[in-house]
Coordinates of all heavy atoms in Angstrom, one line a residue:
L6 N 3.5 6.5 -2.2 CA 4.8 7.2 -2.5 C 4.9 7.5 -4.0 O 5.4 8.5 -4.4 CB 5.9 6.3 -2.1 CG 6.1 6.1 -0.6 CD1 7.3 5.2 -0.3 CD2 6.3 7.5 0.1
T7 N 4.3 6.7 -4.9 CA 4.3 6.9 -6.3 C 3.5 8.2 -6.6 O 3.9 9.1 -7.4 CB 3.7 5.7 -7.1 OG1 4.5 4.6 -6.8 CG2 3.7 6.0 -8.6
E8 N 2.3 8.3 -6.0 CA 1.5 9.5 -6.2 C 2.1 10.8 -5.6 O 2.0 11.8 -6.2 CB 0.1 9.3 -5.7 CG -0.7 8.2 -6.4 CD -0.9 8.4 -7.8 OE1 -1.0 9.6 -8.3 OE2 -0.8 7.4 -8.6
I9 N 2.8 10.6 -4.5 CA 3.5 11.8 -3.9 C 4.6 12.2 -4.9 O 4.8 13.4 -5.1 CB 4.0 11.5 -2.5 CG1 2.9 11.4 -1.5 CG2 5.0 12.5 -2.1 CD1 3.3 10.9 -0.2
G10 N 5.4 11.2 -5.4 CA 6.4 11.5 -6.4 C 5.9 12.2 -7.6 O 6.5 13.2 -8.2
I11 N 4.7 11.7 -8.1 CA 4.1 12.3 -9.3 C 3.7 13.8 -9.0 O 3.8 14.7 -9.8 CB 2.9 11.5 -9.8 CG1 3.4 10.2 -10.4 CG2 2.0 12.2 -10.8 CD1 2.3 9.2 -10.7
F12 N 3.2 14.0 -7.8 CA 2.8 15.4 -7.4 C 4.0 16.3 -7.4 O 3.9 17.5 -7.7 CB 2.1 15.3 -6.0 CG 1.6 16.7 -5.5 CD1 0.4 17.1 -6.0 CD2 2.4 17.5 -4.7 CE1 -0.1 18.4 -5.6 CE2 1.9 18.7 -4.3 CZ 0.7 19.2 -4.7
L13 N 5.1 15.8 -7.0 CA 6.3 16.7 -6.9 C 7.0 16.9 -8.2 O 7.9 17.8 -8.2 CB 7.3 16.1 -5.8 CG 6.8 16.0 -4.4 CD1 7.8 15.3 -3.5 CD2 6.5 17.4 -3.9
I14 N 6.7 16.2 -9.2 CA 7.4 16.4 -10.5 C 7.3 17.8 -11.0 O 8.4 18.4 -11.4 CB 6.8 15.4 -11.6 CG1 7.3 14.0 -11.2 CG2 7.2 15.8 -13.0 CD1 6.6 12.9 -12.1
P15 N 6.2 18.5 -11.1 CA 6.2 19.9 -11.6 C 7.1 20.8 -10.8 O 7.8 21.7 -11.4 CB 4.7 20.3 -11.6 CG 4.0 19.1 -11.6 CD 4.8 18.1 -10.8
F16 N 7.1 20.7 -9.5 CA 8.0 21.5 -8.7 C 9.5 21.2 -8.9 O 10.3 22.2 -9.0 CB 7.6 21.3 -7.2 CG 6.2 21.6 -6.9 CD1 5.2 20.7 -6.8 CD2 5.8 23.0 -6.7 CE1 3.9 21.0 -6.5 CE2 4.5 23.3 -6.4 CZ 3.6 22.3 -6.3
A17 N 9.8 20.0 -9.1 CA 11.2 19.6 -9.4 C 11.6 20.2 -10.8 O 12.7 20.7 -10.9 CB 11.4 18.1 -9.4
V18 N 10.7 20.1 -11.8 CA 11.0 20.6 -13.1 C 11.2 22.1 -13.0 O 12.2 22.7 -13.7 CB 9.9 20.2 -14.1 CG1 10.1 20.9 -15.4 CG2 10.0 18.7 -14.3
Y19 N 10.4 22.8 -12.3 CA 10.5 24.3 -12.2 C 11.8 24.6 -11.4 O 12.5 25.6 -11.8 CB 9.3 24.9 -11.5 CG 9.3 26.4 -11.4 CD1 9.2 27.1 -12.5 CD2 9.4 27.0 -10.2 CE1 9.3 28.5 -12.5 CE2 9.5 28.4 -10.1 CZ 9.4 29.2 -11.2 OH 9.4 30.5 -11.2
A20 N 12.1 23.9 -10.4 CA 13.4 24.1 -9.7 C 14.6 23.9 -10.6 O 15.6 24.7 -10.6 CB 13.5 23.2 -8.5
L21 N 14.5 22.9 -11.5 CA 15.6 22.6 -12.4 C 15.7 23.8 -13.4 O 16.8 24.2 -13.8 CB 15.4 21.3 -13.1 CG 15.7 20.1 -12.3 CD1 15.3 18.8 -13.1 CD2 17.1 20.0 -11.9
F22 N 14.5 24.3 -13.9 CA 14.5 25.4 -14.8 C 15.2 26.7 -14.1 O 15.9 27.4 -14.7 CB 13.1 25.8 -15.1 CG 12.9 27.1 -15.8 CD1 13.3 27.2 -17.2 CD2 12.4 28.2 -15.2 CE1 13.1 28.4 -17.8 CE2 12.2 29.4 -15.8 CZ 12.6 29.5 -17.1
L23 N 14.8 26.9 -12.8 CA 15.4 28.0 -12.1 C 16.9 27.8 -12.0 O 17.7 28.8 -12.1 CB 14.8 28.2 -10.7 CG 13.4 28.7 -10.7 CD1 12.8 28.7 -9.3 CD2 13.2 30.1 -11.4
A24 N 17.4 26.6 -11.7 CA 18.8 26.4 -11.6 C 19.5 26.5 -13.0 O 20.6 27.1 -13.0 CB 19.0 25.0 -11.1
A25 N 18.9 26.1 -14.0 CA 19.5 26.2 -15.4 C 19.6 27.7 -15.8 O 20.5 28.1 -16.5 CB 18.7 25.4 -16.4
T26 N 18.6 28.5 -15.4 CA 18.6 29.9 -15.8 C 19.4 30.8 -14.8 O 19.4 32.0 -14.9 CB 17.2 30.5 -15.9 OG1 16.5 30.3 -14.7 CG2 16.5 29.8 -17.1
R27 N 20.0 30.1 -13.8 CA 20.8 30.8 -12.8 C 20.0 31.8 -11.9 O 20.5 32.8 -11.5 CB 22.0 31.4 -13.3 CG 23.0 30.4 -14.0 CD 24.2 31.1 -14.4 NE 25.0 30.2 -15.2 CZ 26.0 29.4 -14.6 NH1 26.3 29.5 -13.4 NH2 26.7 28.6 -15.4
S28 N 18.7 31.5 -11.8 CA 17.8 32.3 -10.9 C 18.0 31.7 -9.5 O 18.4 30.5 -9.4 CB 16.4 32.2 -11.4 OG 16.2 32.8 -12.6
G29 N 17.6 32.4 -8.5 CA 17.7 31.9 -7.2 C 16.6 30.9 -6.9 O 15.4 31.2 -6.8
V30 N 17.0 29.6 -6.8 CA 16.0 28.5 -6.6 C 15.3 28.7 -5.2 O 14.1 28.5 -5.1 CB 16.7 27.1 -6.6 CG1 15.7 26.0 -6.2 CG2 17.3 26.9 -8.0
F31 N 16.1 29.2 -4.2 CA 15.5 29.4 -2.9 C 15.1 30.8 -2.6 O 14.6 31.2 -1.5 CB 16.5 29.0 -1.8 CG 16.9 27.5 -1.9 CD1 18.1 27.1 -2.4 CD2 16.0 26.6 -1.6 CE1 18.4 25.8 -2.5 CE2 16.3 25.2 -1.6 CZ 17.5 24.8 -2.1
A32 N 15.2 31.7 -3.7 CA 14.7 33.1 -3.5 C 13.2 33.1 -3.5 O 12.6 32.5 -4.4 CB 15.3 33.9 -4.6
R33 N 12.7 33.9 -2.7 CA 11.2 34.0 -2.6 C 10.6 34.6 -3.8 O 9.5 34.3 -4.2 CB 10.8 34.8 -1.3 CG 9.4 34.8 -1.0 CD 9.1 35.5 0.3 NE 7.7 35.4 0.6 CZ 7.3 34.8 1.7 NH1 8.1 34.4 2.6 NH2 6.0 34.8 1.9
S34 N 11.4 35.5 -4.5 CA 10.9 36.1 -5.7 C 10.8 35.2 -6.9 O 10.1 35.5 -7.9 CB 11.8 37.3 -6.1 OG 13.1 36.9 -6.3
S35 N 11.4 34.0 -6.8 CA 11.4 33.0 -7.9 C 10.1 32.2 -7.8 O 9.8 31.4 -8.7 CB 12.6 32.1 -7.8 OG 13.8 32.9 -8.1
W36 N 9.4 32.2 -6.7 CA 8.2 31.4 -6.5 C 7.0 32.3 -6.2 O 6.4 32.2 -5.1 CB 8.5 30.4 -5.3 CG 9.6 29.5 -5.5 CD1 10.9 29.7 -5.3 CD2 9.5 28.2 -6.1 NE1 11.7 28.6 -5.7 CE2 10.8 27.7 -6.2 CE3 8.4 27.4 -6.6 CZ2 11.1 26.4 -6.7 CZ3 8.7 26.2 -7.1 CH2 10.0 25.7 -7.1
P37 N 6.6 33.1 -7.1 CA 5.4 33.9 -6.9 C 4.1 33.0 -6.8 O 4.1 31.8 -7.2 CB 5.3 34.8 -8.1 CG 6.1 34.1 -9.2 CD 7.1 33.3 -8.5
V38 N 3.1 33.5 -6.2 CA 1.9 32.8 -5.9 C 1.2 32.2 -7.2 O 0.8 31.1 -7.2 CB 0.9 33.7 -5.1 CG1 -0.4 32.9 -4.9 CG2 1.5 34.1 -3.8
T39 N 1.3 33.0 -8.2 CA 0.7 32.5 -9.5 C 1.4 31.3 -10.1 O 0.8 30.4 -10.5 CB 0.6 33.7 -10.5 OG1 2.0 34.1 -10.7 CG2 -0.3 34.8 -10.1
V40 N 2.7 31.3 -10.0 CA 3.5 30.2 -10.5 C 3.2 29.0 -9.6 O 3.0 27.9 -10.1 CB 5.0 30.5 -10.5 CG1 5.8 29.3 -10.8 CG2 5.3 31.6 -11.5
V41 N 3.2 29.2 -8.3 CA 3.0 28.0 -7.4 C 1.6 27.5 -7.6 O 1.4 26.3 -7.6 CB 3.2 28.5 -5.9 CG1 2.8 27.4 -5.0 CG2 4.7 28.8 -5.7
A42 N 0.6 28.4 -7.8 CA -0.8 27.9 -8.1 C -0.8 27.1 -9.4 O -1.5 26.0 -9.4 CB -1.7 29.1 -8.2
R43 N -0.1 27.5 -10.4 CA -0.1 26.7 -11.7 C 0.6 25.4 -11.5 O 0.2 24.4 -12.0 CB 0.6 27.6 -12.8 CG -0.3 28.7 -13.2 CD 0.4 29.5 -14.3 NE -0.4 30.6 -14.7 CZ 0.1 31.7 -15.3 NH1 1.4 31.7 -15.7 NH2 -0.7 32.7 -15.7
L44 N 1.7 25.4 -10.7 CA 2.4 24.1 -10.4 C 1.5 23.2 -9.6 O 1.5 22.0 -9.9 CB 3.7 24.4 -9.7 CG 4.8 25.1 -10.4 CD1 5.9 25.5 -9.5 CD2 5.3 24.3 -11.6
V45 N 0.7 23.7 -8.7 CA -0.2 22.8 -7.9 C -1.3 22.3 -8.8 O -1.6 21.1 -8.8 CB -0.8 23.6 -6.7 CG1 -2.0 22.9 -6.1 CG2 0.3 23.9 -5.7
L46 N -1.8 23.1 -9.7 CA -2.8 22.6 -10.7 C -2.3 21.6 -11.6 O -2.9 20.5 -11.8 CB -3.3 23.8 -11.5 CG -4.5 23.5 -12.5 CD1 -5.7 23.0 -11.7 CD2 -4.8 24.7 -13.3
A47 N -1.1 21.8 -12.1 CA -0.4 20.8 -12.9 C -0.2 19.5 -12.2 O -0.4 18.4 -12.7 CB 0.9 21.3 -13.5
A48 N 0.3 19.6 -10.9 CA 0.5 18.4 -10.1 C -0.8 17.7 -9.8 O -0.8 16.4 -9.9 CB 1.2 18.9 -8.8
L49 N -1.8 18.4 -9.5 CA -3.1 17.7 -9.3 C -3.6 17.0 -10.5 O -4.2 15.9 -10.5 CB -4.2 18.7 -8.8 CG -3.9 19.2 -7.4 CD1 -5.0 20.2 -7.0 CD2 -3.9 18.1 -6.4
V50 N -3.4 17.6 -11.7 CA -3.8 16.9 -13.0 C -3.0 15.6 -13.2 O -3.5 14.6 -13.5 CB -3.7 17.9 -14.2 CG1 -3.8 17.1 -15.5 CG2 -4.7 19.0 -14.1
L51 N -1.7 15.7 -12.9 CA -0.9 14.5 -13.0 C -1.3 13.4 -12.0 O -1.3 12.2 -12.4 CB 0.6 14.9 -12.8 CG 1.3 15.6 -13.9 CD1 2.7 16.0 -13.5 CD2 1.3 14.8 -15.2
V52 N -1.6 13.8 -10.8 CA -2.0 12.8 -9.8 C -3.3 12.2 -10.2 O -3.4 10.9 -10.1 CB -2.1 13.5 -8.4 CG1 -2.8 12.6 -7.4 CG2 -0.7 13.8 -7.9
I53 N -4.3 13.0 -10.6 CA -5.5 12.4 -11.0 C -5.3 11.4 -12.2 O -5.9 10.3 -12.2 CB -6.5 13.5 -11.4 CG1 -6.9 14.2 -10.1 CG2 -7.8 13.0 -12.1 CD1 -7.7 15.5 -10.3
A54 N -4.5 11.8 -13.2 CA -4.2 11.0 -14.3 C -3.6 9.7 -13.8 O -3.9 8.6 -14.3 CB -3.4 11.7 -15.3
G55 N -2.7 9.8 -12.9 CA -2.0 8.6 -12.4 C -2.9 7.7 -11.6 O -2.9 6.5 -11.8
L56 N -3.9 8.3 -10.9 CA -4.8 7.4 -10.1 C -5.8 6.7 -11.1 O -6.1 5.6 -10.9 CB -5.6 8.3 -9.1 CG -4.8 8.7 -7.9 CD1 -5.6 9.7 -7.1 CD2 -4.4 7.5 -7.1
V57 N -6.2 7.5 -12.1 CA -7.1 6.9 -13.1 C -6.4 5.7 -13.9 O -6.9 4.6 -14.1 CB -7.6 7.9 -14.1 CG1 -8.3 7.3 -15.3 CG2 -8.6 8.9 -13.4
G58 N -5.1 6.0 -14.2 CA -4.4 4.9 -14.9 C -4.1 3.7 -14.0 O -4.2 2.6 -14.5
L59 N -3.9 4.0 -12.7 CA -3.7 2.9 -11.8 C -4.9 2.1 -11.6 O -4.9 0.8 -11.6 CB -3.2 3.4 -10.4 CG -3.0 2.4 -9.3 CD1 -1.7 1.6 -9.6 CD2 -2.8 3.1 -8.0
A60 N -6.1 2.7 -11.5 CA -7.3 2.0 -11.4 C -7.7 1.3 -12.6 O -8.3 0.2 -12.6 CB -8.4 3.0 -11.0
H61 N -7.4 1.8 -13.8 CA -7.8 1.2 -15.0 C -6.9 0.1 -15.5 O -7.4 -1.0 -16.0 CB -7.8 2.3 -16.1 CG -8.4 1.8 -17.4 ND1 -9.7 1.5 -17.6 CD2 -7.8 1.5 -18.6 CE1 -9.9 1.0 -18.8 NE2 -8.8 1.1 -19.5
Y62 N -5.6 0.2 -15.3 CA -4.7 -0.8 -15.8 C -4.1 -1.8 -14.8 O -3.3 -2.6 -15.1 CB -3.5 -0.1 -16.5 CG -4.0 0.7 -17.7 CD1 -4.0 2.0 -17.8 CD2 -4.4 0.0 -18.9 CE1 -4.4 2.7 -18.9 CE2 -4.8 0.6 -20.0 CZ -4.8 2.0 -20.0 OH -5.3 2.7 -21.1
S63 N -4.4 -1.7 -13.5 CA -3.9 -2.6 -12.5 C -5.0 -3.6 -12.1 O -6.2 -3.3 -12.3 CB -3.3 -1.9 -11.3 OG -4.4 -1.2 -10.6
G64 N -4.6 -4.7 -11.5 CA -5.5 -5.6 -11.0 C -5.9 -6.7 -12.1 O -5.3 -6.7 -13.2
A65 N -6.8 -7.5 -11.7 CA -7.2 -8.6 -12.6 C -8.3 -8.2 -13.5 O -8.9 -7.1 -13.3 CB -7.7 -9.8 -11.7
A66 N -8.6 -9.0 -14.5 CA -9.7 -8.7 -15.4 C -11.0 -8.8 -14.6 O -11.2 -9.5 -13.6 CB -9.7 -9.8 -16.5
P67 N -12.0 -8.0 -15.1 CA -13.3 -7.9 -14.4 C -14.0 -9.3 -14.3 O -14.7 -9.5 -13.3 CB -14.1 -7.0 -15.2 CG -13.2 -6.2 -16.0 CD -12.0 -7.1 -16.2
D68 N -13.8 -10.2 -15.2 CA -14.5 -11.5 -15.2 C -13.7 -12.6 -14.5 O -14.1 -13.8 -14.6 CB -15.0 -11.9 -16.6 CG -13.8 -12.0 -17.5 OD1 -12.7 -11.5 -17.2 OD2 -14.0 -12.5 -18.6
S69 N -12.6 -12.3 -13.9 CA -11.7 -13.3 -13.3 C -12.3 -13.7 -11.9 O -13.0 -13.0 -11.3 CB -10.3 -12.8 -13.1 OG -10.3 -11.7 -12.2
T70 N -11.8 -14.9 -11.5 CA -12.2 -15.4 -10.2 C -11.0 -15.7 -9.4 O -10.0 -16.2 -9.9 CB -12.9 -16.8 -10.4 OG1 -14.1 -16.6 -11.2 CG2 -13.4 -17.4 -9.1
Y71 N -11.0 -15.2 -8.1 CA -9.8 -15.4 -7.3 C -9.9 -16.7 -6.5 O -11.0 -17.0 -5.9 CB -9.7 -14.2 -6.3 CG -8.6 -14.4 -5.3 CD1 -7.3 -14.3 -5.7 CD2 -8.9 -14.6 -3.9 CE1 -6.3 -14.4 -4.8 CE2 -7.8 -14.8 -3.0 CZ -6.5 -14.7 -3.5 OH -5.5 -14.8 -2.6
I72 N -8.9 -17.5 -6.6 CA -8.8 -18.7 -5.8 C -7.8 -18.5 -4.8 O -6.6 -18.3 -5.1 CB -8.4 -19.9 -6.7 CG1 -9.4 -20.1 -7.9 CG2 -8.3 -21.2 -5.9 CD1 -9.0 -21.1 -8.9

Side-chain angles (χ1 to χ4, degrees):
L6 290 177
T7 301
E8 295 301 325
I9 290 172
I11 290 172
F12 183 83
L13 294 176
I14 287 172
F16 299 98
V18 169
Y19 184 66
L21 288 174
F22 169 75
L23 290 177
T26 58
R27 298 185 187 264
S28 299
V30 175
F31 298 108
R33 190 174 183 121
S34 61
S35 296
W36 297 88
V38 175
T39 56
V40 171
V41 173
R43 288 179 184 163
L44 291 172
V45 168
L46 183 62
L49 290 176
V50 168
L51 287 175
V52 168
I53 290 169
L56 289 172
V57 168
L59 181 69
H61 187 69
Y62 293 110
S63 66
D68 58 347
S69 66
T70 302
Y71 176 69
I72 301 171

